[in-house]
């Protein structure tokens, strides 16, 4: 299964981002940035599963960043 979400290091931790758009993933209006590496990895895996099952995913460049 191809991955839609991946991780990249940011100034305060790790960002989960959409590999197609390059924007951070958004969960409940909050951009998923500044995360612990294990949390980011788990979240990316969960979002990939949701995407594969057709779940609604928000990718919003104007979302509020963590940190």
């Amino acid at each position: 299964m191809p991955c839609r979400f991946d991780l990249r290091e940011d100034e305060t931790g790790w960002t989960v981002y959409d590999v197609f758009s390059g924007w951070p993933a958004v969960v409940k209006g909050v951009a998923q940035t500044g995360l612990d590496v294990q949390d980011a990895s788990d979240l990316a895996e969960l979002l990939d599963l949701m995407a594969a099952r057709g779940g609604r995913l928000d990718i919003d460049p104007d979302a509020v960043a963590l940190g």
Side-chain angles (χ1 to χ4, degrees):
M1 166 174 67
C3 293
R4 178 173 173 182
F5 294 91
D6 203 357
L7 312 179
R8 65 177 167 227
E9 199 165 6
D10 60 40
E11 296 97 24
T12 60
W14 292 85
T15 293
V16 177
Y17 72 98
D18 182 320
V19 298
F20 300 121
S21 71
W23 292 107
V26 176
V27 176
K28 296 195 180 226
V30 179
Q32 299 304 296
T33 62
L35 302 173
D36 171 82
V37 69
Q38 187 60 54
D39 292 339
S41 179
D42 291 347
L43 179 59
E45 185 177 336
L46 176 62
L47 291 174
D48 279 334
L49 286 171
M50 289 174 63
R53 293 180 178 160
R56 183 176 185 277
L57 303 171
D58 294 327
I59 306 301
D60 181 1
D62 297 321
V64 177
L66 296 174

